[in-house]
Amino acid sequence: MSGAALPDADVDLIIIPIAQDQLTAAASRHDARLDEDVKSAIERGEFRAKANEVYVARPPATGWKAARIVFVGGGPRAEINVERLRRMAVSAAQVARHQRRPRIGWADVEPGTLSAAARIETIAESFVLANFENGVHKSRDGNDFFIKEGVIFTSQDAAAAVANGAAMGESINAARVLINEPGNYLTPRVMADKAASLASVPGLTAEILDEKKIEELRMGLLLGVARGSIEPPRLLVLKYSPAGAPANHTLGLVGKGITFDTGGLSLKPADGMERMKDDMAGGASVVAAMRSIALQQLPIRALAVVPMTENMPGGRATKPGDIHTGASGLTVEINNTDAEGRLILGDGLWYARQLGATHLIDVATLTGAIVVGLGKITTGLFGTPQPWVDHIRVAADRAGEKVWQLPLYEDYKEQLKSEIADMLNSPGRPAGSITAAMFLKEFAGDGPWAHLDIAGTAWAEESKPWQPKGATGAMIRTLIEVARGGLP
Ligand code: BES
Ligand code: MN
Ligand code: ZN
């Protein structure tokens, strides 16, 4: 960080953001010769400063240390929020990786709608995100070049914001790596170990419960899903309780950890089934959020519970029509073994309450129906009471992530009725995401609880300049932001 004049900056590449409606004004701050270059690019129509548009210039022949200047468009200034800025910064930083330029700088000259702290945090996070290592299993042709040093040129005091942003970026990258791992590499046991090592940061404790402990806890729903696999289930518990944090509030994060979802005996169609390696994205997200919460030393008590298992159609697998009893005592008729997420989350939510969580949030790639309803853009949000849901909505907004609330009217409960057990696990097609959330609600106890359905948002089908194909890390920032806002 420094307030030094840009031409003197000793980096290989400098990124200068420009809002669409500030095109000429923004260019004229640095060097008249550079302005000429940008102006003629604008006149030629080569650069319009549309959102995430990149224009690469050579700096004037004398007086500049950097080898390249990257102008990145922001669209209209009024639209430059956290999400836009993140996309701009990641897109521009990709130029450095492609051109193999190790030291990059960001000129903090475009305020958008953001505070200086929010801008700096976002740029620090984005530089880390831009360094994501994709294709770790490729023996050749991977992008093996990484940015070594990122600098932010700003007049503001930036140290704390840089540290927070970097912690968030690193945690998100770590979650993305886990989510992208194939099922044969990331079994429940491996996921538990990897998650525990991600959690080995000061202030955070990790405990892995094996199948025997899970049996002692009588988690018949988690065990019922695990029956079809030769891989044993695991349950990860993370705890964070810093000195001085309010003792009467504990945030409880519960994440779905299905390391592969074949559907079980209610087998999924072959087409696209390979994507079901990401069915532990919710679990990875809560682990990543806990890591960042601890790294940022947020003054709040938090715990996480991640039930992990494969959903396989082995010889001992749960059969449609079987009944299993969860740790809470509720009995469930399994009429479709592919509705397994709600089963393991049922035991997970109950356990998080047992451990003392006062405010619950679960995160899960839960229903195909949410993809139909909200697409791959928006995460489904459910919960009660309304102030808790609003708290999460506000946090998502600050984090630059899109969520949309769906209702939990009692009338929907009708669909969950079973003739012979307390509930059915698969209540049919109508309102599939809502009835799944209604099912979870039965295990969440009386306190505040919210559910985030990330089936649409956890995975990017195509790569974008700001987001590689594959795991997105959706909702990690939102969870961190919830913790930051304190509990209501
Ligand atoms: N993991 C899936 C949900 C999913 C679908 C995630 C598509 C990502 C993309 C979940 O376990 C599942 O199979 N849900 C079923 C529930 C149904 C049987 C009630 C679904 O949505 O079809
Ligand atoms: Mn399923
Ligand atoms: Zn699933």
Side-chain angles (χ1 to χ4, degrees):
M1 295 126 264
S2 88
L6 289 185
D8 295 329
D10 191 17
V11 292
D12 302 304
L13 179 149
I14 295 173
I15 303 167
I16 301 177
I18 302 188
Q20 204 160 27
D21 38 353
Q22 310 286 326
L23 256 181
T24 42
S28 62
R29 258 185 231 132
H30 311 289
D31 184 316
R33 296 167 296 176
L34 186 59
D35 293 351
E36 277 313 306
D37 182 336
V38 182
K39 266 193 209 135
S40 72
I42 293 165
E43 278 159 18
R44 288 194 306 275
E46 195 178 328
F47 180 57
R48 296 186 180 84
K50 288 188 296 197
N52 315 313
E53 186 187 356
V54 159
Y55 171 67
V56 183
R58 283 171 196 272
T62 54
W64 287 70
K65 288 189 176 149
R68 292 289 185 278
I69 311 291
V70 173
F71 290 93
V72 60
R77 172 170 286 175
E79 286 180 9
I80 304 181
N81 56 10
V82 172
E83 184 191 29
R84 175 68 54 81
L85 191 63
R86 186 187 304 127
R87 290 183 179 194
M88 290 163 66
V90 177
S91 306
Q94 289 307 328
V95 176
R97 278 188 76 183
H98 286 133
Q99 296 193 351
R100 305 182 85 81
R101 302 190 190 279
R103 300 172 307 154
I104 69 173
W106 176 275
D108 181 34
V109 294
E110 172 50 66
T113 63
L114 298 163
S115 70
R119 290 197 306 274
I120 291 162
E121 189 176 298
T122 301
I123 299 308
E125 179 195 338
S126 302
F127 279 3
V128 175
L129 290 178
N131 246 357
F132 181 71
E133 183 168 11
N134 225 7
V136 281
H137 294 296
K138 281 186 191 288
S139 63
R140 59 194 73 186
D141 297 335
N143 185 349
D144 58 352
F145 185 85
F146 298 97
I147 298 160
K148 302 270 175 330
E149 191 185 319
V151 184
I152 301 172
F153 303 109
T154 177
S155 56
Q156 311 289 322
D157 181 13
V162 165
N164 284 338
M168 287 168 74
E170 280 163 23
S171 301
I172 291 168
N173 279 350
R176 287 178 175 178
V177 168
L178 280 192
I179 297 164
N180 284 339
E181 282 289 60
N184 66 325
Y185 279 67
L186 199 82
T187 61
R189 284 178 293 177
V190 174
M191 182 178 173
D193 289 344
K194 291 200 172 188
S197 70
L198 277 178
S200 70
V201 298
L204 202 53
T205 63
E207 190 189 355
I208 298 170
L209 309 193
D210 64 11
E211 63 273 31
K212 287 199 195 72
K213 294 256 178 55
I214 294 170
E215 261 162 47
E216 279 165 27
L217 286 165
R218 306 168 69 88
M219 294 189 166
L221 298 178
L222 172 56
L223 290 166
V225 175
R227 288 181 65 85
S229 172
I230 54 165
E231 290 289 338
R234 288 290 181 266
L235 189 94
L236 177 75
V237 178
L238 304 180
K239 287 181 183 157
Y240 173 67
S241 89
N248 53 341
H249 286 355
T250 301
L251 177 63
L253 304 178
V254 180
K256 174 176 174 180
I258 296 290
T259 59
F260 196 85
D261 182 10
T262 67
L265 284 172
S266 313
L267 194 64
K268 286 183 180 297
D271 212 25
M273 200 206 276
E274 69 279 1
R275 201 207 121 175
M276 285 300 128
K277 67 179 186 174
D278 83 341
D279 214 18
M280 34 56 72
S285 301
V286 310
V287 171
M290 289 293 284
R291 175 183 161 87
S292 197
I293 287 168
L295 284 174
Q296 294 177 244
Q297 300 180 321
L298 299 183
I300 176 187
R301 287 193 179 188
L303 61 86
V305 172
V306 183
M308 289 167 282
T309 176
E310 293 184 331
N311 186 22
M312 297 282 285
R316 291 180 192 278
T318 291
K319 302 167 287 297
D322 286 359
I323 294 176
H324 288 304
T325 306
S328 75
L330 280 174
T331 60
V332 181
E333 178 186 355
I334 317 294
N335 58 328
N336 187 324
T337 62
D338 198 10
E340 84 297 340
R342 64 198 72 187
L343 299 173
I344 70 167
L345 289 169
D347 279 339
L349 284 164
W350 173 85
Y351 194 49
R353 276 286 187 230
Q354 294 296 304
L355 293 175
T358 56
H359 294 65
L360 284 174
I361 305 177
D362 74 73
V363 190
T365 46
L366 202 64
T367 65
I370 204 71
V371 194
V372 176
L374 300 177
K376 301 193 52 69
I377 310 292
T378 308
T379 293
L381 169 63
F382 308 78
T384 173
Q386 194 55 37
W388 177 233
V389 180
D390 289 339
H391 190 70
I392 293 159
R393 243 176 21 195
V394 169
D397 201 49
R398 273 203 307 267
E401 296 194 294
K402 296 183 181 73
V403 298
W404 196 260
Q405 186 182 2
L406 290 164
L408 293 173
Y409 299 123
E410 281 299 308
D411 309 50
Y412 288 109
K413 246 176 98 175
E414 185 83 21
Q415 280 173 253
L416 290 170
K417 279 204 176 127
S418 160
E419 292 296 323
I420 59 168
D422 294 332
M423 273 190 291
L424 277 177
N425 80 322
S426 180
R429 274 173 71 84
S433 303
I434 294 173
T435 53
M438 296 291 292
F439 182 96
L440 297 180
K441 185 167 176 274
E442 295 301 308
F443 297 87
D446 291 331
W449 156 78
H451 158 59
L452 293 163
D453 193 337
I454 57 169
T457 50
W459 190 262
E461 233 51 79
E462 49 188 315
S463 90
K464 293 270 167 51
W466 58 84
Q467 158 72 58
K469 180 179 166 149
T472 60
M475 290 300 119
I476 297 172
R477 297 177 194 95
T478 296
L479 295 178
I480 297 167
E481 208 58 60
V482 167
R484 238 188 203 175
L487 298 176

